[in-house]
Amino acid sequence: MTAGTTTAVLREMRWWDLGPVLDLEHELFPEDAWSPGMFWSELAHARGPKATRRYVVAETSDDGGSAAGADGRIVGYAGLAAAGGLGDVQTIAVARDQWGTGLGARLLTDLLQHATAFECDEVLLEVRVDNTRAQKLYERFGFEPIGFRRGYYQPGNVDALVMRLHVHDVQGTDNHG
């Protein structure tokens, strides 16, 4: 399985990534996919000295980890919003053929490192109640359930489990210590 395996390189999401990101979004979340405008709005707050967002893509590379270049395929993405000491994981998505590779954990690690940089004390997220795979990932990182949002995911009327992480409890997000 190691022959021909690909490595996903994480990098900042840019506007030119929106086409493949939206394709993946619609493949993974057909009922409640984000619109192009939602991504544009988030990216508008992701750059510059007053940035309050972090959006990252995972792009495949078959050369062991250098920049993927024109042949790369976006196989995942994630986003974080931060304000007033509170972070909110807006989205995490991993292509089905990458499930079980640890890519979701790498994306979440990136977001949590940026939550620390944004000086967040807590990070919240919502996850579909029927997405136990994602819930287990969040629990491994120390997120705890704190409530539900009834009918949060529309139009399917699926409830969201709200989870919270106290950032100061996170081990290994500070590479300087």
Side-chain angles (χ1 to χ4, degrees):
M1 184 158 159
T2 55
T5 58
T6 58
T7 303
V9 177
L10 301 189
R11 63 172 175 76
E12 180 184 9
M13 184 187 293
R14 300 300 302 270
W15 65 265
W16 51 81
D17 296 318
L18 289 184
V21 164
L22 285 163
D23 290 345
L24 189 54
E25 175 81 1
H26 285 281
E27 177 187 327
L28 294 171
F29 311 111
E31 287 189 356
D32 48 18
W34 280 24
S35 68
M38 292 170 76
F39 277 106
W40 278 106
S41 177
E42 289 297 296
L43 288 181
H45 299 285
R47 294 182 64 82
K50 297 184 186 227
T52 59
R53 305 289 193 277
R54 166 66 175 175
Y55 277 79
V56 61
V57 294
E59 191 171 28
T60 57
S61 170
D62 57 11
D63 60 3
S66 64
D71 295 320
R73 176 175 70 100
I74 290 180
V75 294
Y77 55 89
L80 174 83
L86 183 63
D88 193 352
V89 174
Q90 300 291 295
T91 185
I92 293 184
V94 174
R96 285 186 178 89
D97 67 344
Q98 299 292 310
W99 288 3
T101 66
L103 182 54
R106 289 179 56 209
L107 289 164
L108 184 56
T109 296
D110 181 274
L111 296 186
L112 294 178
Q113 288 171 340
H114 282 82
T116 299
F118 282 131
E119 300 180 351
C120 296
D121 298 317
E122 294 181 334
V123 176
L124 297 174
L125 59 81
E126 293 90 12
V127 59
R128 289 174 64 109
V129 293
D130 57 0
N131 190 346
T132 54
R133 191 177 51 80
Q135 290 172 32
K136 288 178 182 175
L137 169 66
Y138 303 139
E139 288 169 0
R140 283 200 330 258
F141 276 77
F143 281 86
E144 297 176 335
I146 60 169
F148 293 94
R149 294 190 182 191
R150 303 286 177 209
Y152 183 78
Y153 293 98
Q154 294 297 329
N157 203 36
V158 177
D159 294 346
L161 174 65
V162 181
M163 301 181 82
R164 176 178 59 204
L165 175 71
H166 294 281
V167 174
H168 57 81
D169 295 339
V170 177
Q171 300 291 323
T173 57
D174 183 0
N175 294 329
H176 304 292

